[in-house]
Amino acid sequence: MNEIILTRPKQQAEHFAHILRSKTNSTVHLMPLIAIKACSDSLKQVDDVVLFTSANAIPFVARGQGQLALCVGDATCEAAKLAGFDAHSANGTAQDLAKLILMRADVNLRRFYHPHGAQVSDGFHETLEEGGIQLFSEVVYRQETQIWSKAQTLLVESRPFIFPVFSPNGARVLAQNLAEIGPQSHRIVAISEDAGKPLIGFDLLVAEKPSRYGVLEAVLEMILRGESFEA
């Protein structure tokens, strides 16, 4: 039986674990290597068009009252809708979101607010500023690196696992932990080429679509690949 370890923040890991368990007969372990922490005790009130490059930022913004929100992908878009925003998805990466913003004539003359973590996708702000977008960005959360317990480390050392990774930062943290443990035959499913780069050298599969569902499809493909190899 295949075993999967999710290292993304707890709430997101729980949601994806539920999807994996409904679609596969794999054992899914939740072992977060990143925790999301607020940078302020108060929620940001928003009047501008909101840009969400990660669902992690949504809890730190006041509940929407139908304001327009442009989101990097479908999962973030779904979360923004639940939070009261008129949300639309770029169905891709941060650069796809930047292109969507620049293409929409109805928003070109409006102000934008981008709540985000300490790490921002390379070139996102620069692309918007070069396109004449009036952008106010703010760090509303930080990602704190977690440490696996001794029992969790022993588990990772014991046998091969599949590790889905959803961001370059998450991939870097996972790569550091796996490097300390030593070489293993783990398999990696990355949401994008950028997320896969820190884990080159492992059996790596990049999702065809940079989304939660793209990762799910790639995990299923990885499982079938492994079963075919064993056969």
Side-chain angles (χ1 to χ4, degrees), residues 69-190:
L70 302 180
C71 307
V72 64
D74 293 344
T76 301
C77 184
E78 291 171 12
K81 287 180 178 178
L82 290 173
F85 292 91
D86 175 19
H88 301 263
S89 172
N91 192 29
T93 65
Q95 282 301 315
D96 292 318
L97 176 57
K99 292 175 184 176
L100 173 66
I101 295 163
L102 295 174
M103 288 174 58
R104 286 191 56 153
D106 61 320
V107 297
N108 281 348
L109 299 178
R110 298 168 69 176
R111 284 173 48 86
F112 293 85
Y113 172 60
H114 180 211
H116 56 84
Q119 293 85 21
V120 183
S121 298
D122 290 342
F124 179 66
H125 288 161
E126 291 79 1
T127 299
L128 294 179
E129 290 168 359
E130 289 171 3
I133 296 297
Q134 301 179 57
L135 179 67
F136 171 59
S137 66
E138 183 177 20
V139 176
V140 295
Y141 69 90
R142 64 184 185 277
Q143 298 184 3
E144 293 187 351
T145 301
Q146 306 295 290
I147 300 174
W148 280 333
S149 67
K150 183 177 181 179
Q152 288 173 327
T153 300
L154 289 172
L155 176 67
V156 176
E157 291 176 331
S158 68
R159 53 191 180 273
F161 292 90
I162 296 174
F163 287 90
V165 293
F166 291 82
S167 70
N169 185 52
R172 284 189 290 270
V173 175
L174 175 60
Q176 291 167 3
N177 279 266
L178 293 180
E180 293 175 3
I181 289 173
Q184 294 287 340
S185 300
H186 299 304
R187 294 177 286 169
I188 309 296
V189 173

Side-chain angles (χ1 to χ4, degrees), residues 43-48 50 52 58 61-69 79-86:
L43 298 179
K44 177 69 178 181
Q45 299 293 328
V46 179
D47 296 318
D48 302 327
V50 189
F52 288 122
I58 295 173
V61 176
R63 182 171 179 81
Q65 302 296 322
Q67 300 101 313
L68 179 63
K81 287 180 178 178
L82 290 173
F85 292 91
D86 175 19

